[in-house]
Amino acid sequence: GESGSGKSSLALALGRLLPEPPAQVTGRIRFGAKSLLELPESEWARIRGARIGFVFQEPLRALNPTMGVGEQIAEGLRKHLGLGRRDARTRAVEWMERLGIERAARRADDFIHQLSGGERQRVALAMALCLEPELIVADEPTAALDVCAARDLVECLRELCREQNTALLFITHDLIAAAMIADRACVLRAGRVVESGELRSIFRSPVQAYTRELIEALPENWPARADSNLGEPGAGDSISKGAIATLRATNLRVEHPGARAPFWRRPTSSGCGPAPEALLQGADLELETGRCTALVGESGSGKSTLARACLWLQVPTRGAVQFESRTGRVELGALSARKLRSLRPQMQLVLQDPFGSLTARLRVGELLVEAARVHGLGAESQLLRKAAALLERVGLSAEAMERYPHAFSAGQRQRIAIVRALMLDPKLLVLDEPTSALDPCSQAQLMQLFGELRRERELTLLFVAHDLEMVRAFADRVLVMQAGRIVEDRPAEALFHAPQHAHTRELLSARPRIADLLGEA
């Protein structure tokens, strides 16, 4: 179902995890021979985790920022299975490896802020799966994963459920992932089940018009190129002749200190401690004004690091970034903190995790006008009217301005974060997985909005994405990243028609079409 249809509320209600009050759960929940709603909290504490495992939609909120990720996985093993500290850590590392986290023994000591969004999601999955529960409730487990990782995760979940005879409730807006793993489907709309039954039957012959809308809104069903709505694609293998580059990054390198480096100094390859790890290795990037450049690659390949380095939010170890501001071309590394701050409205970032980017203590209306007010971009009443109009354009009502971020679904929060960036009328908008928490209908609506903004404002977009079908329909150029390097940089249609690098071909082959999964021609 679409964002806000009640999917996550249903998952939380099954585990008695909704705040009561104000939430009120009625009805009946039977788990085996037990009626769960009648159990005391002490009994629930023994069921959660050990017998019913939960994988929450936003791992950044579900994981403890003060503990290493290996210790967090081991904690449940010690509590519910009685393992010793050493055995629990060994089991935790094994599960991290099984779920595709490279160098798991070393990464087990990392904190969540040192992991990519996809790696955090895999840690959250390891915490649930390692206890071998009878039921797993997985809320959008593939939302932060690249196509290869999502495919591998779905296959791993399917295999584990069969091995352990585990039931799986797979909550998702990704219809392709659902078709790869599920036997039955249940479609929610506005808190009600509108259609349920055998998955293939529902997807092939949906009874409800709403179900048909969800399927038709998949990016693979969009026009091959939405040029009439989204702007003409660039031609050739380089920026169009005579075109202006809004941003030009040269030889960007970003290093991360060694895993056990002392916090008071940065180790080097010639000094004490382990050598720094290169997250980004000599990346070159050029963003043409009014165009959309997509950045694709597997989780942990350096996409978000490159996006942040381009905006000088993460200062690179070396390299330069030039930005074509409204007053002329500037080099970001040469600016003072004050001058750089004055440029921030012109280059905005929409983060992958919407909840972490929104202040929980402010209402949505205050959040939307706060930055614009600080930069003196209009009177309060004018900014409030502008915020209300933008909320309407992303599918939310003006009434949302009176509520707090926690009252919205993850997809709705993502739309609020997008409006907050647009409030500053940026020249460059960097979108880090902006649609990963959205259903197909909302994705299509937002992509249409971005296309309109490109025409109206000559807005330049850097689109970090996992959904390759969406990239093909929307982007002008595509950059493919692997292990901190850009391995392919070509016009979108040329890349999808004849990919040159082996990693690009692997990414393209990892994402099946829903018609193929259902056995249709």
Side-chain angles (χ1 to χ4, degrees):
E2 62 188 342
S3 302
S5 61
K7 304 186 299 295
S8 296
S9 296
L10 173 61
L12 294 173
L14 292 178
R16 203 69 182 271
L17 292 170
L18 289 170
E20 301 177 34
Q24 192 173 21
V25 181
T26 59
R28 192 172 61 160
I29 305 174
R30 294 197 64 84
F31 182 61
K34 293 188 176 184
S35 180
L36 297 185
L37 289 181
E38 301 168 4
L39 295 180
E41 181 58 33
S42 58
E43 183 68 18
W44 267 106
R46 288 191 286 271
I47 291 176
R48 290 192 201 103
R51 299 187 63 192
I52 304 178
F54 289 88
V55 181
F56 298 104
Q57 183 171 4
E58 294 169 307
L60 199 62
R61 295 179 62 202
L63 300 174
N64 188 335
T66 67
M67 296 172 63
V69 293
E71 177 62 21
Q72 293 188 61
I73 299 171
E75 186 179 34
L77 292 166
R78 296 201 309 271
K79 177 178 176 59
H80 291 290
L81 302 185
L83 297 184
R85 185 172 294 272
R86 180 176 296 179
D87 291 339
R89 179 182 170 86
T90 300
R91 183 83 65 87
V93 171
E94 289 173 355
W95 274 98
M96 289 174 67
E97 290 174 342
R98 192 167 186 179
L99 288 170
I101 298 178
E102 296 181 359
R103 307 185 303 278
R106 187 176 71 79
R107 301 303 299 277
D109 294 320
D110 285 355
F111 295 93
I112 57 172
H113 70 272
Q114 296 173 280
L115 304 180
S116 70
E119 289 169 333
R120 291 177 196 142
Q121 188 64 275
R122 281 177 265 194
V123 168
L125 280 162
M127 290 176 67
L129 293 169
C130 69
L131 297 172
E132 300 183 8
E134 299 162 48
L135 167 65
I136 295 172
V137 180
D139 192 356
E140 300 285 3
T142 61
L145 301 180
D146 61 87
V147 288
C148 295
R151 176 201 60 194
D152 295 343
L153 178 69
V154 165
E155 292 175 355
C156 180
L157 275 174
R158 187 167 53 198
E159 179 185 342
L160 288 169
C161 287
R162 288 173 180 167
E163 284 180 5
Q164 302 172 3
N165 199 29
T166 299
L168 173 67
L169 178 60
F170 190 81
I171 298 173
T172 186
H173 59 252
D174 186 343
L175 302 187
I176 292 178
M180 291 172 68
I181 195 170
D183 304 302
R184 294 177 55 82
C186 190
V187 183
L188 265 70
R189 185 181 192 185
R192 295 181 180 276
V193 176
V194 297
E195 190 165 357
S196 63
E198 199 266 332
L199 181 136
R200 290 178 179 271
S201 175
I202 286 179
F203 279 19
R204 283 173 174 163
S205 305
V207 175
Q208 296 292 326
Y210 175 66
T211 310
R212 288 195 294 272
E213 288 175 14
L214 289 175
I215 296 171
E216 290 168 1
L218 283 169
E220 67 183 55
N221 295 326
W222 296 0
R225 284 291 312 187
D227 296 329
S228 58
N229 294 327
L230 305 176
E232 294 297 328
D237 282 346
S238 60
I239 280 194
S240 305
K241 187 176 181 180
I244 299 173
T246 298
L247 183 139
R248 181 178 287 110
T250 308
N251 196 27
L252 287 185
R253 182 178 178 87
V254 175
E255 295 178 346
H256 187 278
R260 299 182 182 276
F263 69 86
W264 61 86
R265 62 185 171 85
R266 186 189 187 96
T268 65
S269 57
S270 59
C272 180
E277 178 186 1
L279 303 181
L280 200 62
Q281 305 182 49
D284 294 323
L285 176 68
E286 204 160 345
L287 305 180
E288 186 178 348
T289 299
R291 305 287 187 180
C292 175
T293 301
L295 202 56
V296 303
E298 59 190 353
S299 300
S301 62
K303 302 186 302 295
S304 296
T305 301
L306 176 56
R308 289 170 178 271
C310 285
L311 299 179
W312 220 254
L313 291 170
Q314 183 162 0
V315 179
T317 310
R318 70 164 182 254
V321 176
Q322 293 181 336
F323 178 67
E324 188 70 31
S325 71
R326 293 191 174 100
T327 58
R329 182 169 293 275
V330 294
E331 187 168 326
L332 299 185
L335 297 179
S336 65
R338 182 178 180 181
K339 289 184 178 179
L340 186 59
R341 193 180 305 117
S342 68
L343 279 180
R344 289 294 177 203
Q346 298 184 45
M347 44 184 188
Q348 286 292 296
L349 169 67
V350 177
L351 296 168
Q352 183 175 1
D353 175 37
F355 198 85
S357 63
L358 300 174
T359 305
R361 297 169 309 195
L362 297 181
R363 288 185 172 87
V364 167
E366 298 171 288
L367 281 168
L368 295 181
V369 304
E370 179 187 32
R373 187 197 306 122
V374 167
H375 288 283
L377 299 182
E380 187 81 9
S381 58
Q382 179 187 0
L383 293 175
L384 288 172
R385 287 195 299 272
K386 182 179 180 180
L390 284 171
L391 284 172
E392 294 284 349
R393 290 191 74 175
V394 300
L396 295 174
S397 68
E399 296 174 357
M401 296 172 67
E402 300 301 320
R403 298 159 66 189
Y404 289 92
H406 71 266
F408 297 90
S409 71
Q412 291 168 328
R413 284 196 288 266
Q414 189 63 284
R415 283 181 263 185
I416 291 168
I418 290 168
V419 170
R420 191 176 188 220
L422 294 175
M423 283 289 295
L424 297 170
D425 295 322
K427 187 175 181 182
L428 168 64
L429 186 59
V430 178
L431 303 163
D432 192 353
E433 297 286 356
T435 60
S436 62
L438 300 180
D439 60 274
C441 294
S442 298
Q443 288 178 352
Q445 181 186 20
L446 271 182
M447 291 298 101
Q448 181 67 29
L449 172 62
F450 291 139
E452 293 170 1
L453 291 170
R454 287 171 63 187
R455 292 198 313 274
E456 294 170 8
R457 309 182 186 185
E458 277 203 324
L459 183 65
T460 304
L461 298 177
L462 178 59
F463 183 46
V464 181
H466 287 144
D467 193 330
L468 299 180
E469 290 291 342
M470 184 181 299
V471 166
R472 183 171 192 171
F474 185 68
D476 300 315
R477 296 189 65 81
V478 180
L479 280 69
V480 182
M481 293 198 69
Q482 183 183 30
R485 297 181 183 276
I486 296 175
V487 297
E488 192 160 357
D489 175 7
R490 301 176 66 207
E493 278 304 308
L495 181 136
F496 280 93
H497 179 70
Q500 295 180 347
H501 196 274
H503 185 60
T504 308
R505 291 193 290 271
E506 181 185 4
L507 290 174
L508 294 177
S509 64
R511 180 72 171 179
R513 296 174 64 87
I514 197 163
D516 298 331
L517 292 171
L518 299 178
E520 299 175 355

